[in-house]
Amino acid sequence: MNKTINLKIKSRFVEEYQDKYPLIQKEIFQNIEDLNEEGIIINLLSPNNKFIAKGYYGRQNKGYGWVLSYNKEEQIDKTFFINKIKNAITYRKDFYEDAKNNITTAFRVLNGEGDKLGGLTIDYFDGYYMLTWYSLGIYSFKNTILEALQEVLKQDKTYKGIYEKKRFDTKGQYLDSKSDFVCGLQAPAPIIVRENNVNFAVYLDDGAMTGIFLDQKDVRKNIRDKYANKKTMLNAFSYTGAFSIYAALGGAKKTTSVDLAKRSLLKTSEQFEVNNIDVNSQEIIVDDVFNYFKYAVKKQFKFDMVVLDPPSFARSKKITFSVSKDYVKLLKEAIQITNKNGIIVASTNSANFGIMKFRQFIEKAFKELKEKYEILETFSLPKDFKVDDNFRQGNYLKVVFIKKK
Ligand code: SAH
């Protein structure tokens, strides 16, 4: 059992936590001397000793831990986690239904604080459950959470096995680490999962990432179903080419995928192959997007659709890219190589700014180039990435479909 301590918070924070703000922040405490071991259960008390909430201490890039309950008597035990997991599964029953019908067999089952369990996510990949731990604090509950999960999964006839990824280190820094098999059956590498009837090769035990970002599922589908037909598409920061696969399946004339990582060539080819698309009819380029843009502008290449989905932050040999600093520049390059009436899909997963600021970047880029545009649609996280109403910054994804006029 994890130890429990009582900690008083400063009076100016009381209301916020009574109003169910879930993230525990360092500055709310009067004294943090007793916070010496991740995983400690903290009772948050008002300055006059009134119980407000209980949570755990776990340092991650955001904050010092998460609130778990507003009931003073509630134990953070197996039953507690069983309830959280059951509720999360019930909320995704449509996804389980789609999985049964082999339409979509990869989705998020539990989304951290969105499912009132900050610091942990659980993804479903065709019967395999992938747990991602974001702090040592939440990881200290591993055995209890695993028991709870296995108990709940007795009901899941598709259950095969459990994997985990640890995205923390002991200094509280955000860190990708090797993924690990936990229990049950071991998955083949790759397993083929489905998403909206599209195949994806997914690696559950291959380092930090599986090969697919599940939060973009609605955007991918939209590209395939509404925009791709007979279009040429440039997919910048393409990773394993997910947007390109969907575009090709939506009838795109040709896709061009650009990513700096050498592995992206093989990974993207593989995704085309598992969907029976001739890789030779597509282009896959390993290059810095900024280099490629320069080249494409010089050569006067034009595309009907350009997808921009950069990481929030990236360092390559020559440049450091940060979304809030460089998105306008990126957009300006994209605008120059987009055909009139063409579509730019501008995406960011940066939690540091909201949709208003993102729209200002778009406005600025077009204005500086004296070009006109129309915003057609915007997307944020899909339904399985449940967001806590009291923690809107958890809805980090912003995707805007822009028509260049
Ligand atoms: N759009 C992808 C996910 C992108 S992840 C998808 O939907 O699956 C970000 C990718 O950007 C990584 O694959 C990384 O290798 C790549 N990247 C980072 N900096 C880059 C740069 N300067 N030029 C090209 N690719 C870059």
Side-chain angles (χ1 to χ4, degrees):
M1 275 297 263
N2 295 30
K3 195 168 96 191
T4 300
I5 60 170
N6 294 322
L7 279 188
K8 281 190 191 171
I9 70 173
K10 295 173 187 163
S11 54
R12 69 172 191 278
F13 292 107
V14 167
E15 204 176 289
E16 201 176 345
Y17 286 88
Q18 279 171 340
D19 287 344
K20 309 212 163 149
Y21 183 73
L23 181 63
I24 297 176
Q25 281 167 317
K26 182 185 176 188
E27 58 271 21
I28 68 170
F29 295 113
Q30 296 184 1
N31 182 338
I32 55 167
E33 257 168 42
D34 293 340
L35 278 186
N36 47 22
E37 200 183 322
E38 293 216 16
I40 284 179
I41 303 283
I42 315 166
N43 286 323
L44 302 183
L45 305 183
S46 70
N48 52 6
N49 273 322
K50 224 179 105 214
F51 173 88
I52 302 170
K54 66 168 73 180
Y56 71 90
Y57 171 47
R59 288 166 75 160
Q60 53 181 96
N61 57 344
K62 36 183 176 204
Y64 258 46
W66 295 95
V67 171
L68 296 176
S69 173
Y70 297 91
N71 174 355
K72 194 176 167 185
E73 311 305 327
E74 185 159 29
Q75 296 297 311
I76 309 305
D77 55 10
K78 185 173 161 187
T79 310
F80 172 85
F81 292 116
I82 285 178
N83 287 333
K84 290 283 171 279
I85 297 167
K86 270 191 180 161
N87 288 342
I89 286 179
T90 305
Y91 179 80
R92 276 98 179 158
K93 63 176 186 309
D94 295 350
F95 288 87
Y96 278 94
E97 197 56 34
D98 278 353
K100 212 190 275 167
N101 296 321
N102 209 24
I103 296 166
T104 294
T105 59
F107 56 90
R108 179 146 295 183
V109 174
L110 185 145
N111 194 37
E113 76 281 359
D115 288 284
K116 313 288 179 208
L117 190 46
L120 172 69
T121 62
I122 305 179
D123 293 324
Y124 178 92
F125 292 104
D126 193 28
Y128 295 97
Y129 285 78
M130 169 70 76
L131 283 66
T132 305
W133 312 95
Y134 287 88
S135 72
L136 187 61
I138 190 69
Y139 191 69
S140 73
F141 296 97
K142 176 176 169 175
N143 288 340
T144 316
I145 292 177
L146 274 179
E147 281 174 28
L149 180 62
Q150 284 168 312
E151 177 76 31
V152 176
L153 292 183
K154 282 181 186 159
Q155 307 295 320
D156 178 5
K157 291 197 193 72
T158 69
Y159 165 71
K160 293 176 187 144
I162 297 174
Y163 280 77
E164 71 177 350
K165 287 184 192 296
K166 289 179 228 158
R167 307 247 283 196
F168 61 87
D169 73 6
T170 44
K171 288 189 289 298
Q173 297 265 300
Y174 179 86
L175 186 88
D176 289 326
S177 81
K178 263 206 167 321
S179 110
D180 284 307
F181 169 69
V182 179
C183 61
L185 291 174
Q186 264 182 286
I191 57 167
I192 306 298
V193 301
R194 308 260 296 161
E195 184 196 85
N196 300 308
N197 296 313
V198 178
N199 294 328
F200 272 102
V202 163
Y203 293 80
L204 299 182
D205 205 1
D206 186 22
M209 291 191 268
T210 57
I212 179 169
F213 288 104
L214 297 175
D215 55 1
Q216 293 276 17
K217 61 166 71 67
D218 293 347
V219 179
R220 289 192 274 266
K221 183 171 187 296
N222 202 46
I223 287 176
R224 180 190 65 188
D225 296 351
K226 282 167 68 177
Y227 293 95
N229 198 24
K230 301 196 171 68
K231 301 286 170 57
T232 56
M233 180 229 221
L234 174 67
N235 182 4
F237 307 94
S238 55
Y239 184 45
T240 59
F243 288 121
S244 310
I245 313 303
Y246 267 69
L249 292 169
K253 213 183 284 171
K254 187 185 162 189
T255 67
T256 304
S257 307
V258 182
D259 196 287
L260 188 61
K262 287 197 185 70
R263 55 153 204 251
S264 71
L265 177 58
L266 270 177
K267 295 281 185 189
T268 306
S269 305
E270 180 180 41
Q271 303 300 8
F272 278 119
E273 278 157 18
V274 298
N275 285 288
N276 301 312
I277 300 163
D278 180 12
V279 183
N280 298 315
S281 61
Q282 314 293 329
E283 203 159 347
I284 304 168
I285 296 169
V286 176
D287 196 1
D288 192 307
V289 161
F290 288 95
N291 269 344
Y292 179 79
F293 274 163
K294 253 185 237 133
Y295 167 78
V297 171
K298 200 164 81 199
K299 293 267 177 185
Q300 297 189 315
F301 288 171
K302 293 275 192 216
F303 297 89
D304 302 322
M305 180 156 65
V306 176
V307 176
L308 287 179
D309 182 30
S312 301
F313 187 81
R315 201 178 315 218
S316 67
K317 266 180 234 127
K318 274 177 256 147
I319 46 166
T320 333
F321 174 85
S322 112
V323 161
S324 29
K325 215 167 78 265
D326 297 318
Y327 214 101
V328 174
K329 182 173 158 213
L330 199 57
L331 272 167
K332 282 170 79 173
E333 313 245 29
I335 293 165
Q336 292 175 66
I337 56 170
T338 303
N339 279 322
K340 189 173 156 57
N341 293 323
I343 304 293
I344 296 171
V345 181
S347 169
T348 178
N349 58 12
S350 174
N352 294 330
F353 55 87
I355 183 74
M356 294 313 283
K357 177 99 176 277
F358 195 42
R359 287 177 81 132
Q360 282 165 12
F361 292 161
I362 297 167
E363 174 72 21
K364 187 156 190 258
F366 276 91
K367 207 168 179 181
E368 286 181 10
L369 289 174
K370 299 192 169 58
E371 295 279 0
K372 294 225 160 353
Y373 70 100
E374 183 189 344
I375 289 183
L376 301 179
E377 297 182 76
T378 60
F379 285 77
S380 53
L381 287 175
K383 189 185 170 199
D384 50 333
F385 282 66
K386 193 168 187 236
V387 176
D388 182 342
D389 285 336
N390 301 303
F391 193 71
R392 298 309 301 180
Q393 57 273 51
N395 198 346
Y396 54 82
L397 186 68
K398 295 166 277 293
V399 185
V400 183
F401 283 67
I402 312 159
K403 183 175 179 176
K404 177 181 169 184
K405 301 230 270 201

